[in-house]
């Protein structure tokens, strides 16, 4: 029997694709691949493998073929999800939401049609709502599952498909592998039954979400000037509704980034962690002398914070973005000492975060848990009261939203800022106070682009096979995270020295390796700023060494 070629696989996919434009696109590439090596390589990349069904679902560039985001892939993924829900007798509707990226509305309609074709009730949220509203809706509506069509903070060319289970948390192992197998066994997309009849919801879910979010806040201080940017995403409208309902003065919006726009014209990457993404917000904050800058990623589940840098005479001279670890610990302290975390309530973060939360929890005699990266793990910690991950994700109300929620977190951050200002204290000074009690924790993160998940795995294998003997001048030990501390399997490498802790792991959503570096100095401090600068320089040097080793 003749071997199946790339051309054969491409033509078989074309035959099973229900979208005329995608069929034409892949057919043109297939014809070109016969005589063009560049087209042949592109075709092989599109059809040799399927887009991985992993971190909460699917995410990747939009184009035709099984290794891209398109209607056929979405249809087959939903067919697999429908079979899983039926086989496990999970009763109830599936609630669906989508952001404002290219084809998000089309993909959401396909999800609904496939689920209706499988005789599953479907509830469609209004268009262009942020992910936390969908996560809230799963529990609020008693749904069997939720699907959010979004690529979150990925580049403009990408889209994605995020799955929530009936407990309101993101899909996690081993269920993701089970659904992936059902997707692989699904028929060609053109043969998947589809039907109409999804129920279109109104504003009632968003109103319930807002009532819950605003209800978390204590009455009192609200008088702060805040600059906000939605980074061309869908968080803006819900954020401003929440902001007004909570009684804050109108936030100053970065007008150029306020409206949803799938081209993300003012940023290179629509991720508030990326250099330059907050430049417009910083400039606006300087104009109005803001007390705080809040930035949401495009689907509103992450929140970045910038705080003023003060001059010697007390004037604002600049703004700096707090790290996820800094915001995470500030929120934890605020919730602990305002007694919104009950006695015995568990605090949680991930293995790539700093050790500050564990020390803060110990000082408050509260339990603290470490998990692998991702809220699919954090949200399922028993008796969870608060969780954060260093990638700007915060969960301040896990009973309502079992996921990171950038909008509710923004409200609590603003409340904390306003209360601090009333006492004549800024957030930067609160961080200093925390450091004086639990130590100065400094975090540095780096990203190393790779060509594919396979390339990331190969780079990690090479690092494990030949780890550095020293890091930043100190002897180093390497450990495979797959065997780390009784946690679920986690791909990555842990490197430790007397002064530095570093983890190298692949991103779960983008083609890159991430390097997380941490260092801590114990109090008392003669010059806290100098200590932090020294630790940051140490970590920068260690990160540079690791990046050079990975890239060769």
């Amino acid at each position: 029997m003749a071997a199946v070629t790339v051309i054969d696989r491409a033509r078989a996919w074309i035959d099973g694709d229900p979208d005329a434009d995608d069929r034409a696109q892949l057919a043109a590439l297939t014809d070109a691949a016969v005589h063009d090596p560049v087209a042949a390589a592109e075709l092989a990349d599109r059809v040799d493998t399927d887009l991985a069904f992993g971190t909460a679902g699917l995410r990747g560039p939009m184009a035709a073929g099984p290794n891209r985001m398109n209607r056929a892939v979405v249809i087959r993924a939903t067919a697999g999800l429908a079979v899983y829900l039926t086989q496990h007798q999970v009763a109830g509707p599936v609630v669906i939401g989508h952001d404002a990226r290219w084809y998000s509305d089309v993909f959401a309609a396909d999800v609904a049609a496939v689920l209706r074709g499988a005789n599953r009730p479907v509830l469609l949220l209004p268009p262009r709502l942020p992910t936390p509203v969908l996560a809230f809706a799963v529990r609020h509506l008693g749904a069997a599952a939720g699907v959010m069509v979004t690529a979150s903070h990925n580049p403009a060319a990408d889209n994605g498909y995020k799955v929530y289970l009936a407990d309101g948390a993101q899909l996690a192992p081993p269920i993701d592998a089970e659904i992936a197998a059902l997707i692989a066994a699904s028929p060609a997309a053109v043969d998947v039954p589809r039907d109409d009849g999804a129920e279109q919801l109104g504003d009632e879910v968003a109103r319930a979400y807002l009532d819950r979010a605003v209800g978390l806040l204590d009455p009192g201080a609200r008088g702060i000037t805040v600059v906000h940017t939605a980074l061309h995403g869908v968080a803006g409208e819900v954020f401003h509704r929440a902001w007004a309902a909570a009684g804050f003065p109108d936030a100053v919006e970065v007008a150029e980034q306020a409206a949803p726009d799938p081209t993300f014209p003012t940023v290179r990457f629509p991720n508030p962690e990326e250099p330059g993404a907050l430049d417009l917000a910083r400039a606006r904050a300087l104009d109005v002398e803001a007390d705080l800058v809040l930035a949401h990623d495009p689907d509103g589940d992450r929140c970045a914070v910038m705080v003023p840098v003060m001059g010697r005479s007390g004037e604002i001279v600049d703004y700096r973005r707090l790290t996820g670890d800094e915001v995470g610990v500030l929120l934890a302290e605020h919730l602990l000492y305002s007694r919104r975390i009950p006695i015995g309530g568990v605090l949680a973060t991930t293995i790539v975060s700093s050790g500050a939360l564990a020390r803060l929890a110990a000082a408050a005699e509260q339990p603290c848990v470490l998990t692998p990266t991702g809220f699919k793990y954090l949200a399922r910690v028993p008796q969870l009261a608060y969780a954060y991950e260093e990638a700007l994700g915060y969960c301040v109300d896990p009973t309502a939203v079992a996921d990171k929620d950038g909008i509710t977190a923004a409200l609590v951050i603003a409340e904390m800022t306003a209360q601090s200002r009333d006492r004549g204290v800024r957030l930067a000074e609160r961080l200093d106070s925390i450091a004086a009690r639990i130590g100065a924790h400094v975090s540095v993160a780096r990203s190393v682009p790779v060509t594919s998940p396979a390339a990331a795995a190969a780079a990690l294998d090479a690092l494990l096979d030949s780890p550095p003997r020293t890091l930043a001048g100190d002897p180093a030990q390497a450990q495979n995270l797959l065997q780390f501390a009784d946690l679920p399997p986690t791909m990555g490498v842990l490197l430790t020295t007397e002064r530095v802790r570093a983890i190298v792991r692949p991103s779960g959503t983008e083609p890159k390796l991430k390097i997380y570096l941490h260092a801590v100095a114990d109090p008392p401090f003669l010059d806290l700023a100098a200590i932090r600068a020294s630790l940051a320089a140490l970590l920068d040097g260690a990160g540079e060494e690791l990046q050079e080793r990975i890239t060769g």
Side-chain angles (χ1 to χ4, degrees), residues 38-386:
V38 174
E42 169 69 10
L43 184 67
D45 185 55
R46 290 202 197 183
V47 305
D48 261 350
T49 59
D50 291 345
L51 189 63
F53 189 85
T55 300
L58 300 163
R59 202 176 294 184
M62 288 176 284
N67 194 27
R68 297 291 187 270
M69 275 297 298
N70 51 66
R71 292 187 62 210
V73 165
V74 167
I75 288 167
R76 295 185 75 242
T78 308
L81 174 63
V83 172
Y84 170 83
L85 295 174
T86 299
Q87 287 183 349
H88 288 267
Q89 299 180 335
V90 185
V94 176
V95 58
I96 301 169
H98 70 82
D99 66 10
R101 286 178 180 260
W102 298 118
Y103 298 105
S104 283
D105 56 344
V106 175
F107 294 161
D110 281 328
V111 174
V114 172
L115 290 165
R116 289 297 302 132
N119 297 312
R120 175 72 56 173
V122 173
L123 303 174
L124 279 170
L125 290 175
R128 297 184 167 191
L129 282 176
T131 293
V133 177
L134 182 279
F136 170 83
V138 174
R139 282 183 171 176
H140 179 70
L141 299 172
V147 176
M148 181 70 189
V149 180
T150 179
S152 188
H153 57 282
N154 274 41
D158 289 5
N159 212 326
Y161 177 106
K162 188 179 291 189
V163 178
Y164 291 81
L165 298 180
D167 62 359
Q170 294 180 33
L171 184 68
I175 296 173
D176 55 355
E178 184 178 350
I179 295 176
L182 294 171
I183 294 169
S186 296
V190 73
D191 295 323
V192 172
R194 285 176 282 162
D195 205 351
D196 297 325
E199 180 182 348
Q200 180 66 61
L201 298 174
D203 191 48
E204 61 274 14
V205 174
R207 289 200 305 269
Y209 167 82
L210 290 166
D211 288 345
R212 175 75 186 207
V214 173
L216 292 176
L217 304 185
D218 288 335
R222 294 290 189 269
I224 53 173
T225 301
V226 171
V227 167
H228 174 260
T229 176
L231 286 183
H232 305 292
V234 296
E237 181 181 351
V238 173
F239 166 77
H240 284 288
R241 289 175 66 183
W243 195 253
F248 289 103
D250 290 347
V252 179
E253 189 67 34
V254 178
E256 302 94 323
Q257 298 174 332
D261 187 336
T263 67
F264 302 104
T266 68
V267 291
R268 185 180 176 195
F269 295 108
N271 181 348
E273 293 180 284
E274 291 287 340
L278 302 184
D279 284 355
L280 289 175
R282 172 183 167 274
R284 195 76 184 96
L286 285 168
D287 285 344
V288 300
E289 297 185 339
D291 299 294
L292 183 69
V293 176
L294 296 169
H296 286 109
D297 72 338
D299 71 326
D301 62 354
R302 300 174 190 239
C303 180
V305 176
M306 296 182 81
V307 297
V309 176
M310 310 305 295
R312 291 184 178 180
S313 302
E315 76 281 15
I316 297 174
V317 297
D318 204 351
Y319 287 80
R320 77 172 182 94
R321 182 177 68 78
L322 300 182
T323 68
D325 284 319
E326 289 174 323
V327 177
V329 171
L330 279 168
L331 279 169
E333 186 204 42
H334 180 68
L335 294 172
L336 280 167
Y337 292 100
S338 62
R339 293 185 171 85
R340 273 173 273 186
I341 293 177
I343 294 173
V346 176
L347 289 74
T349 190
T350 73
I351 56 174
V352 301
S353 300
S354 82
L357 186 68
R359 289 197 182 188
L360 189 73
E365 299 183 341
Q366 295 282 134
C368 185
V369 171
L370 289 183
T371 76
T373 55
F375 262 89
K376 59 189 175 184
Y377 298 111
L378 287 169
R380 291 185 169 89
V381 169
Q383 297 179 301
L384 181 68
Y386 167 74

Side-chain angles (χ1 to χ4, degrees), residues 473-497:
D474 296 332
Q477 293 185 328
Q479 184 177 352
N480 189 337
L481 280 183
L482 290 171
Q483 293 94 39
F484 180 69
D486 299 323
L487 294 174
T490 301
M491 183 179 291
V493 180
L494 170 67
L495 295 158
T496 54
T497 75

Side-chain angles (χ1 to χ4, degrees), residues 2-13:
V4 177
T5 68
V6 169
I7 300 294
D8 294 332
R9 285 192 287 273
R11 287 174 175 160
W13 183 265

